[in-house]
């Protein structure tokens, strides 16, 4: 029924019996969806007018054809067109004189027959669409068969969750039109992608080749968030790692909306629709943070309802501006890495998300096949890196740091402080640490000052307070993002402004910028 529906729009011309009969030979695949006549009509149209390849060549691949001879014909036609050769039955002849499959169909007479009816030119685009859709149906059948075969096979250890994840991945590939095609690409394709990335950075105005963080100095250091990269954002409690992740998620989603409204093409948009997996905070708590940042009202005031009427109006205005923000929050607790990957695929398929945040890595669970927490964390970090490559989006995972940081005199985090597994550092493309000296200065704040000192003891208290204040003032409302690892560039420090009341990171004013902000 599905096949009949596909063919109603533009029925292709029927092939003559002497040609159609050999193709429609009885095989074990006789019931698979296909339209041999549409394939022949499309190839004929393509041989008559090579310009058709410009419209469908990027999507339609040789493996989408059911008949193997048609696969070889289409592949050779596209190779010649890529070399600016005019393709006709005559120019194809040298490549197929010894082709046994084509000889079975009549050899060169078959090619001549393909171009004998120009009626295929009218429906060429429809034929290409039919060929592509039927190929997807065949791939879907193959996925179903494999799924049934594996589910019926109980000879090995039963792993239903693993099978579900594999099925999700296979279905995602079918939805993306990948099927079982090879993952290898020619070097010139990779070079083209690299040049596109450079062009995007050149045209962005902010030298961002990936998704923007919304923070100028951080963008300048790492070039934005790149597709297929796993970024680890780690810090001790109280440093603001969730705040920074929320800020970046909002900035990316907001920039996508802004560029889209400006008519910028999707492949040149430096923003991204964003998925935020929050395993610690609820969706309304994250929304409250974003509202606090955008309305510049303390999140504590919002929770307590202690706001004035003019502040409430700012809050309403901010909420209206955020209504169509392409930011998707999943606050399901206790997710396994397999479940997270499945949900991310669905979001990619339904909403075309371009950036994923996971808060935080240690709250994810493994599949239960590993012994020990270290092995489980290794599985999770590898799973996140695999997800980034599979969906071709940057994935930012927040991570805890070990208590070793607190035992050192210098509280700045190091790569060795990543908690529970060295595989986090190994799998990550970029590792970012947040360090706020202000936080540690406030922890040792002395008593004082005494406004009207009367005794020597009062003066001593004030002196200690002034000494503390001299050290605290340069650190107030400032944070350092330490780029501890970067596959694509150098390491170093980036200075940011941090407003703790509204949990907002932003660029530091130039006059306040600390020298050596980009020291290697």
């Amino acid at each position: 029924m599905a096949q009949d529906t596909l063919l109603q729009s533009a029925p292709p011309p029927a092939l003559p019996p002497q040609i159609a009969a050999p193709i429609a030979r009885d095989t074990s695949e006789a019931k698979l969806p296909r339209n041999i006549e549409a394939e022949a009509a499309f190839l004929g149209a393509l041989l008559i007018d090579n310009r058709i390849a410009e419209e469908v060549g990027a999507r339609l691949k040789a493996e989408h054809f059911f008949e193997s001879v048609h696969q070889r014909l289409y592949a050779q036609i596209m190779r010649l067109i890529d070399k600016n050769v005019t393709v006709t039955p005559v120019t194809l002849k040298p490549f197929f004189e010894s082709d046994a499959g084509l000889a079975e169909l009549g050899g060169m007479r078959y090619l001549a027959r393909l171009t004998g009816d120009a009626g295929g030119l009218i429906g060429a685009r429809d034929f290409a669409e039919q060929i592509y859709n039927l190929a997807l149906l065949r791939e879907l059948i193959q996925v179903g068969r494999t799924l049934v075969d594996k589910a019926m096979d109980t000879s090995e250890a039963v792993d239903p969750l693993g099978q579900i994840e594999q099925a999700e991945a296979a279905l995602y590939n079918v939805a993306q039109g990948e099927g079982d095609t090879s993952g290898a690409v020619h070097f010139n394709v990779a070079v083209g992608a690299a040049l596109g990335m450079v062009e995007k950075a050149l045209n962005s105005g902010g030298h961002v080749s990936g998704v923007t963080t919304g923070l100028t100095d951080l963008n300048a250091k790492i070039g934005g968030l790149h597709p297929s990269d796993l970024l680890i954002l780690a810090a001790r409690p109280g440093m603001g790692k969730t705040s920074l992740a929320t800020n970046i998620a909002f900035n990316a989603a907001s920039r996508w909306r802004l560029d889209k409204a400006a008519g910028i093409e999707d492949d040149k948009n430096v923003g991204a629709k964003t998925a935020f997996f929050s395993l610690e905070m609820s969706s309304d708590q994250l929304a409250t943070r974003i509202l606090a940042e955008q309305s510049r009202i303390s999140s504590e005031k919002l929770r307590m309802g202690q706001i004035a009427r003019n502040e409430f109006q700012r809050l309403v205005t901010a909420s209206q501006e955020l209504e169509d923000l392409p930011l998707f929050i999943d606050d399901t607790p206790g997710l396994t890495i397999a479940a997270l990957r499945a949900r991310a695929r669905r979001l990619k398929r339904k909403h075309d998300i371009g950036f994923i945040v996971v808060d935080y890595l240690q709250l994810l669970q493994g599949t239960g096949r590993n012994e020990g927490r270290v092995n489980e964390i290794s599985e999770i970090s590898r799973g996140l890196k695999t997800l980034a490559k599979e969906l071709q989006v940057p994935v930012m995972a927040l991570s805890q740091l070990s208590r070793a940081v607190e035992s050192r005199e210098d509280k700045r985090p190091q790569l060795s402080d990543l908690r529970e597994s060295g595989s986090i550092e190994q799998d990550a493309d970029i590792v970012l640490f947040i360090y706020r000296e202000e936080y540690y200065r406030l922890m040792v704040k002395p008593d004082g000052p005494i406004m009207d000192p009367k005794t020597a003891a009062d003066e001593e208290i004030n002196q200690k307070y002034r000494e503390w204040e001299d050290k605290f003032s340069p650190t107030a409302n400032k944070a350092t993002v330490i780029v501890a690892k970067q596959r694509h560039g150098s390491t170093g420090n980036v200075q940011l402004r941090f407003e703790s009341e509204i949990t907002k990171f932003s660029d530091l004013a130039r006059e306040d910028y600390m020298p050596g902000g980009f020291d290697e």
Side-chain angles (χ1 to χ4, degrees):
M1 182 65 67
Q3 181 177 346
D4 293 341
T5 303
L6 284 170
L7 304 183
Q8 286 173 1
S9 58
L15 295 178
Q18 67 270 26
I19 295 178
I23 298 180
R25 53 191 176 274
D26 185 20
T27 69
S28 59
E29 298 181 332
K31 294 183 179 180
L32 287 177
R34 73 281 190 95
N35 186 344
I36 304 298
E37 289 80 5
E39 293 179 7
F42 174 75
L43 289 173
L46 186 57
L47 287 171
I48 296 172
D49 186 357
N50 292 172
R51 291 174 297 179
I52 292 173
E54 298 174 5
E55 300 181 20
V56 300
R59 188 181 189 193
L60 196 63
K61 303 290 189 294
E63 54 269 20
H64 291 142
F65 289 78
F66 179 82
E67 172 57 44
S68 59
V69 173
H70 292 168
Q71 291 180 1
R72 295 193 294 276
L73 284 170
Y74 182 74
Q76 187 59 48
I77 290 170
M78 296 305 291
R79 279 195 290 268
L80 292 175
I81 289 175
D82 283 342
K83 295 179 181 179
N84 293 321
V85 175
T86 300
V87 187
T88 66
V90 175
T91 55
L92 274 181
K93 181 178 179 181
F95 302 97
F96 289 92
E97 285 181 324
S98 59
D99 190 292
L102 185 61
E104 184 181 347
L105 303 180
M108 294 301 109
R109 286 183 293 113
Y110 180 63
L111 293 182
R113 178 66 193 183
L114 291 180
T115 57
D117 187 352
L121 289 170
I122 301 174
R125 186 177 299 176
D126 291 335
F127 297 150
E129 187 70 18
Q130 290 173 16
I131 294 167
Y132 179 83
N133 287 338
L134 291 170
L136 291 190
L137 289 177
R138 293 195 297 273
E139 292 297 342
L140 191 58
I141 290 171
Q142 183 59 44
V143 170
R145 286 175 176 173
T146 303
L147 180 60
V148 170
D149 289 343
K150 288 186 176 181
M152 294 292 290
D153 183 8
T154 58
S155 60
E156 298 182 2
V158 178
D159 181 19
L161 292 179
Q163 292 182 24
I164 290 171
E165 183 184 1
Q166 291 172 12
E168 282 273 1
L171 286 171
Y172 173 78
N173 288 340
V174 172
Q176 295 299 104
E178 293 180 11
D180 289 333
T181 59
S182 171
V185 296
H186 194 279
F187 181 68
N188 64 357
V189 177
V191 169
L195 288 175
M197 181 183 69
V198 174
E199 182 186 12
K200 183 177 181 180
L202 184 65
N203 295 335
S204 70
H207 308 295
V208 180
S209 57
V211 175
T212 182
T213 65
L215 301 165
T216 304
D217 296 321
L218 187 57
N219 279 341
K221 187 63 178 173
I222 66 175
L225 313 170
H226 302 93
S228 82
D229 272 5
L230 172 61
L231 300 96
I232 298 296
L233 176 60
R236 288 294 293 158
M239 292 291 109
K241 58 180 180 292
T242 299
S243 298
L244 181 56
T246 306
N247 292 167
I248 292 174
F250 171 82
N251 292 340
S254 181
R255 180 58 182 267
W256 185 91
R257 183 178 60 179
L258 186 67
D259 283 3
K260 192 72 174 177
I264 296 175
E265 298 176 12
D266 287 353
D267 60 343
K268 294 180 174 60
N269 193 320
V270 296
K273 297 179 181 179
T274 302
F276 198 114
F277 290 91
S278 178
L279 286 81
E280 186 175 37
M281 298 175 64
S282 65
S283 58
D284 60 300
Q285 287 174 321
L286 283 174
T288 300
R289 283 197 172 204
I290 293 175
L291 281 173
E293 296 159 13
Q294 298 309 305
S295 62
R296 300 197 63 80
I297 302 172
S298 165
S299 55
E300 183 178 350
K301 279 186 174 183
L302 292 182
R303 286 194 302 270
M304 303 291 290
Q306 298 174 344
I307 57 175
R309 288 199 172 276
N310 65 321
E311 290 176 321
F312 182 75
Q313 186 56 49
R314 277 160 44 198
L315 189 67
V316 171
T317 301
S319 65
Q320 290 172 343
E321 292 174 352
L322 300 178
E323 279 183 354
D324 60 346
L325 188 72
L327 176 60
F328 306 90
I329 301 174
D330 187 329
D331 60 359
T332 307
L335 281 177
T336 64
I337 180 62
L340 184 141
R341 289 172 64 181
R343 289 171 184 236
R345 291 188 195 103
R346 293 188 199 112
L347 285 168
K348 176 69 173 177
R349 189 165 60 245
K350 290 177 63 177
H351 302 290
D352 195 27
I353 58 169
F355 176 39
I356 296 172
V357 180
V358 180
D359 183 15
Y360 58 90
L361 186 150
Q362 281 82 5
L363 286 179
L364 281 171
Q365 299 176 16
T367 58
R369 296 192 295 266
N370 297 292
E371 295 182 1
R373 182 60 174 164
V374 172
N375 290 335
E376 185 178 26
I377 292 294
S378 298
E379 179 196 359
I380 291 168
S381 65
R382 283 194 301 271
L384 291 173
K385 174 59 182 175
T386 301
L387 178 65
K389 289 190 68 176
E390 178 186 347
L391 301 189
Q392 279 297 298
V393 303
V395 174
M396 175 179 284
L398 279 58
S399 177
Q400 291 180 332
L401 292 177
S402 69
R403 296 179 184 274
V405 177
E406 308 299 338
S407 63
R408 295 197 301 264
E409 184 176 347
D410 183 1
K411 310 295 185 187
R412 291 174 181 266
Q414 304 169 2
L415 287 172
S416 59
D417 296 323
L418 286 170
R419 188 172 171 181
E420 294 180 308
S421 178
S423 67
I424 298 177
E425 175 189 347
Q426 177 182 331
D427 294 325
D429 297 282
I430 296 177
V431 177
L432 305 175
F433 294 128
I434 305 174
Y435 172 70
R436 291 198 299 118
E437 188 175 349
E438 173 191 34
Y439 175 85
Y440 293 106
R441 293 291 179 191
L442 285 172
M443 290 178 65
V444 296
K445 180 180 179 180
D447 295 332
I450 298 175
M451 301 308 297
D452 187 18
K454 293 184 173 59
T455 65
D458 292 345
E459 287 291 352
E460 185 177 352
I461 290 174
N462 281 356
Q463 178 61 29
K464 288 182 178 179
Y465 184 84
R466 284 192 292 270
E467 291 174 357
W468 171 85
E469 191 174 36
D470 289 342
K471 294 179 180 179
F472 171 77
S473 295
T475 70
N477 296 325
K478 292 178 183 176
T480 301
V481 173
I482 302 169
V483 184
K485 176 186 177 181
Q486 183 177 193
R487 292 193 202 276
H488 317 297
S490 61
T491 58
N493 300 331
V494 176
Q495 307 298 332
L496 298 175
R497 177 177 174 81
F498 179 63
E499 299 168 83
S500 57
E501 283 193 356
I502 59 173
T503 63
K504 183 179 179 65
F505 285 85
S506 56
D507 292 315
L508 201 63
R510 290 292 96 185
E511 61 270 17
D512 294 332
Y513 203 93
M514 297 173 66
F518 291 99
D519 287 347
E520 302 301 325

